[in-house]
């Protein structure tokens, strides 16, 4: 990993920042230190927001096609450095190298998508009088604060930054303090293709995030992360009047219907629960399996969990990499231990392995109840808590009994059950017979405690702009 001595970007100029607090980054695979990162101070946030606001009028006036071309150039720069970016992701948060590269490639694709869509994003004409022109135009909102998480630091940042920039906004980005090297390198690659001040960067923890989200000079706050943080940001933006976009925690259910092949269903569940060690926004967090297939499903899921190869993300053979850090692992383990104490059966996993690193085994729990935190809250770890249900309808009802509303998956051979599922489930996304996947450009609005507003797809361009109605009378006395 290349050492960095520049952690703050404002007005096109990099600096160390003025903060005196430091944050040590360690490799979650072995605990070795990766570097000491300075956390920005309040004055640094002020400078970054000031630079963004100063650049906003000029950038808004740049033709949309030129903004799209700049974003295409940024995509090419990220592509040329994809391997190094992916290696940073693996080093900082542990993601398997193939998955890390996939996240970078997804970010590149998103930049290109918005580079193409941005120049086409417009309003509509209205039918007024013969002597006037009436139309609706979309204008940038101004300065966007982008706060991104550590679990997919490139793809998520590219989406939010790309949509904001191509629609004529300026950005202040704060990446997670757990992945600052990744965030800084990505900012460097994108910002070099833009005028100074269009993309700015501050590094820091919750204190820096609060200063940015609550800054009166910010017009939009886009946050992807935990529900607790999202609620705090909502309080701050309620005071400033900034528009708020949130994609926060989830407790995504998987319903396994009678009649499906239990081994196939177990494979889907294993992917949903254990991919990226469960550290995916739309990971499967709780499983409802019909009693007719429960025994075979649990046996197959347990076998798959035991067979996963645990190791460092840099090893191509690794299937289960470490969790992001010790603090996060402790929270995952606490939920598992509490579930077992409350009557769940530990079928495999559930024990912290010896040795260095933040590894946690793929864990399967049966006999779970909805009152257990491992079912009711977001675990964000490689844990599959399972509850057996007597009917498909019982599974649907239980799946909806939550404060979250991010995504849900249903495995069924019954077309009527599939129809009932997408009609009934109170989530922004419903997936039938596949835990992951979907067409490009798909977007959904999280519900309940999972957030608000479109965070992806063409609709994100609408979120980053305001509509202005114009009545232009061309003849005057």
């Amino acid at each position: 990993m290349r050492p960095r001595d520049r952690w703050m970007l404002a007005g096109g100029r990099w600096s160390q920042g003025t903060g005196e607090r430091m944050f040590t980054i360690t490799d979650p695979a072995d605990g070795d230190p990766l570097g000491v990162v300075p956390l920005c101070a309040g004055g640094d946030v002020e400078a970054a927001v000031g630079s963004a606001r100063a650049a906003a009028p000029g950038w808004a006036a740049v033709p949309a096609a030129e903004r799209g071309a700049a974003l295409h150039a940024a995509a090419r720069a990220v592509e040329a450095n994809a391997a190094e970016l992916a290696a940073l992701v693996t080093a900082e948060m542990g993601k398997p190298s193939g998955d890390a590269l996939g996240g970078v490639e997804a970010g590149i694709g998103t930049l290109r998508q918005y580079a193409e869509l941005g120049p086409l994003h417009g309003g509509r004409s209205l039918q007024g009088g013969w002597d006037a022109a009436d139309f609706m135009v979309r204008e940038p909102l101004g300065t966007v604060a982008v706060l991104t998480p550590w679990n997919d630091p490139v793809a998520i940042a590219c989406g939010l930054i790309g949509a904001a920039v191509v629609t004529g906004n300026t950005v202040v980005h704060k990446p997670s303090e757990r992945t600052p090297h990744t965030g800084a390198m990505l900012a460097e690659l994108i910002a070099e293709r833009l005028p100074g001040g269009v993309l700015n960067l501050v590094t820091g923890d919750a204190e820096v995030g609060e200063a940015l989200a609550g800054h009166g000079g910010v017009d939009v706050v886009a946050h992807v992360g935990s529900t607790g943080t999202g609620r705090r940001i909502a309080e701050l933006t309620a005071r400033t009047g900034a528009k708020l976009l949130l994609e926060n925690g989830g407790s995504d259910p998987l319903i396994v219907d009678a009649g499906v092949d239990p081994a196939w269903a177990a494979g889907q569940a294993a992917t949903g629960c254990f991919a990226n060690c469960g550290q995916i926004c739309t990971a499967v967090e709780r499983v409802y399996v019909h009693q007719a297939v429960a025994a075979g499903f649990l046996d197959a899921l347990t076998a798959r969990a035991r067979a996963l190869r645990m190791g460092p993300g840099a090893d191509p053979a690794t299937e289960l990499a470490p969790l992001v850090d010790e603090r996060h692992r402790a929270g995952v383990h606490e939920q598992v231990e509490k579930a077992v104490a409350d009557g769940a059966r530990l079928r495999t996993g559930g024990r912290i392995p010896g040795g260095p690193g933040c590894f946690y085994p793929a864990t399967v729990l049966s006999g779970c109840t909805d009152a257990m935190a491992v079912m009711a809250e977001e675990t964000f770890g490689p844990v599959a808590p399972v509850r057996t249900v007597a009917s498909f309808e019982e599974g649907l009802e239980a799946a909806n009994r939550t404060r979250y509303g991010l995504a849900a998956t249903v495995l069924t051979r019954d077309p009527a059950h599939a129809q009932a599922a997408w009609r009934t489930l109170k989530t922004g996304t419903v997936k039938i017979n596949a835990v992951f996947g979907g067409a490009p450009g798909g977007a959904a609005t999280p519900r309940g405690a999972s957030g608000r507003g479109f965070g992806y797809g063409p609709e994100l361009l609408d979120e980053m702009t305001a509509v202005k109605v114009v009545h232009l009378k061309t003849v005057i006395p």
Side-chain angles (χ1 to χ4, degrees), residues 351-372:
R351 294 179 177 83
I352 295 178
C358 301
F359 295 95
Y360 198 79
T363 298
V364 178
L365 297 166
S366 61
C368 294
T369 68
D370 290 339
M372 295 175 178

Side-chain angles (χ1 to χ4, degrees), residues 25-396:
I25 307 297
T26 58
D27 189 329
D30 54 22
D32 287 348
L34 298 174
V36 177
V37 179
L39 305 181
C40 286
D44 299 325
V45 173
E46 191 71 37
V49 173
S51 295
R53 292 194 67 81
W59 182 241
V62 170
E66 292 183 23
R67 296 198 299 259
L71 208 57
H72 268 306
R76 291 192 294 271
V78 174
E79 184 176 40
N81 293 272
E84 185 175 356
L85 263 178
L88 284 177
V89 173
T90 297
E92 290 193 300
M93 61 78 55
K95 181 177 286 194
S97 55
D99 291 349
L101 184 58
V104 174
E105 290 170 345
I108 296 165
T110 302
L111 289 175
R112 288 177 172 152
Q113 171 183 283
Y114 288 133
E116 292 292 327
L117 291 176
L120 305 178
H121 186 244
R124 60 188 177 92
S125 61
L126 304 172
Q127 298 301 317
W130 185 258
D131 63 345
D134 292 88
F135 50 91
M136 298 167 64
V137 296
R138 285 197 168 271
E139 297 180 327
L141 286 164
T143 294
V144 181
V146 172
L147 296 94
T148 55
W150 48 266
N151 63 312
D152 202 356
V154 176
I156 294 172
C158 283
L160 294 173
I161 293 171
V165 165
V166 82
T167 48
N169 298 281
T170 55
V171 173
V172 180
H173 179 212
K174 191 200 86 67
S176 168
E177 66 270 26
R178 285 163 159 158
T179 52
H181 293 86
T182 304
M185 182 176 178
L186 180 66
E188 187 172 17
L189 293 170
I190 296 176
E192 286 181 356
R193 279 77 198 170
L194 301 170
V198 173
L199 176 59
N200 306 272
L201 179 83
V202 291
T203 55
D205 54 7
E207 182 178 321
V208 179
E210 285 208 12
L212 177 58
H215 195 288
V218 167
D219 301 291
V220 183
V221 179
H223 169 255
V224 178
S226 72
T227 294
T229 300
R231 286 183 169 178
R232 176 56 182 157
I233 291 174
E235 294 174 2
L236 295 169
T237 56
R239 299 172 189 168
T240 64
K243 182 175 181 178
L244 182 60
L245 300 176
L246 296 175
E247 188 196 298
N248 292 157
S251 183
D252 292 2
L254 168 65
I255 303 172
V256 181
D257 199 5
V260 302
D261 175 28
W264 168 76
Q268 288 287 311
T271 298
C273 294
F274 305 140
N276 195 30
C277 219
Q279 300 169 129
I280 299 175
C281 298
T282 55
V284 172
E285 295 278 346
R286 51 197 170 113
V287 181
Y288 300 98
V289 58
H290 196 287
Q291 61 186 8
V293 294
F297 172 83
L298 280 164
D299 287 345
L301 180 59
T302 301
R304 284 179 176 269
R306 288 174 177 164
L308 291 175
R309 185 182 184 279
M310 191 183 300
D315 184 345
T318 290
E319 297 172 293
L320 198 70
L323 291 166
V324 65
D325 59 25
E326 180 55 43
R327 175 166 58 93
H328 184 55
R329 181 171 72 168
V332 171
H333 188 55
E334 181 181 3
Q335 283 198 8
V336 171
E337 284 193 313
K338 186 66 166 58
V340 173
D342 289 343
R345 177 189 171 192
L346 182 64
R347 298 180 66 98
T348 191
R351 294 179 177 83
I352 295 178
C358 301
F359 295 95
Y360 198 79
T363 298
V364 178
L365 297 166
S366 61
C368 294
T369 68
D370 290 339
M372 295 175 178
V374 76
M375 294 281 279
E377 299 298 331
E378 185 175 48
T379 305
F380 224 59
V383 181
V386 182
R387 175 188 155 192
T388 301
V389 293
S391 67
F392 181 75
E393 292 73 21
E394 183 184 351
L396 274 182

Side-chain angles (χ1 to χ4, degrees), residues 422-444:
W422 76 260
R423 289 285 191 186
T424 303
L425 288 164
K426 299 174 182 177
T427 60
T429 300
V430 177
K431 297 165 283 186
I432 310 293
N433 294 331
V435 291
F436 296 129

